Amino acid sequence: GLTPYLYLPLAGRKAAFGAWGQVDTLDGFLTHFLRKEYGTFRLYSGNEGSQMGDQLVQALVLYCRNFQMESTLYLGAPLALVGVVLCAHESVKAKSVGCFGMALTMAFTFYMVVFHSLSNLPL
């Protein structure tokens, strides 16, 4: 988990190729840990004027287009839809709300929206 952050101040004392800033001081460590150069919860230091979620729709459309056309050869979306429908049908048939497939679908949806709203990567 957080073990690399314990080692980081010690490693920062030696000048290394591709160093992560001046992490041997408290201010430098906090700058690295809180990602002040990039902005907390930001993935890219560019696009300074962009606000969180500016390109959410565009990024989701590009992801879906790539998923459909290049990653799954047009089979991914229909198969995913069949899986969601079958899982919903089983939940209704068993009169239960718990379904691993639905939980997985909801987690994936949450991840996609949160990741693409926080990302400020150039598209």
Side-chain angles (χ1 to χ4, degrees):
L2 298 175
T3 307
Y5 287 113
L6 295 174
Y7 174 68
L8 199 56
L10 298 172
R13 293 183 184 199
K14 294 186 262 178
F17 179 73
W20 293 349
Q22 189 178 3
V23 292
D24 56 339
T25 66
L26 180 61
D27 186 49
F29 178 78
L30 289 176
T31 298
H32 171 74
F33 186 75
L34 298 174
R35 297 177 46 90
K36 290 181 181 177
E37 292 97 358
Y38 299 99
T40 305
F41 299 121
R42 304 296 279 186
L43 299 176
Y44 175 65
S45 63
N47 294 345
E48 294 298 328
S50 70
Q51 295 296 318
M52 207 176 285
D54 277 352
Q55 56 191 22
L56 173 63
V57 174
Q58 182 185 7
L60 288 174
V61 167
L62 287 173
Y63 174 83
C64 291
R65 188 178 299 153
N66 182 335
F67 175 76
Q68 182 67 13
M69 292 182 214
E70 296 176 19
S71 297
T72 62
L73 300 174
Y74 298 100
L75 295 174
L79 289 175
L81 184 61
V82 167
V84 169
V85 169
L86 287 175
C87 186
H89 177 68
E90 286 297 318
S91 291
V92 169
K93 193 168 112 179
K95 295 181 182 176
S96 70
V97 231
C99 176
F100 178 71
M102 288 308 242
L104 191 61
T105 302
M106 297 301 286
F108 177 73
T109 304
F110 176 78
Y111 163 75
M112 291 301 295
V113 171
V114 169
F115 175 80
H116 286 298
S117 65
L118 291 177
S119 70
N120 57 336
L121 300 171
L123 298 178

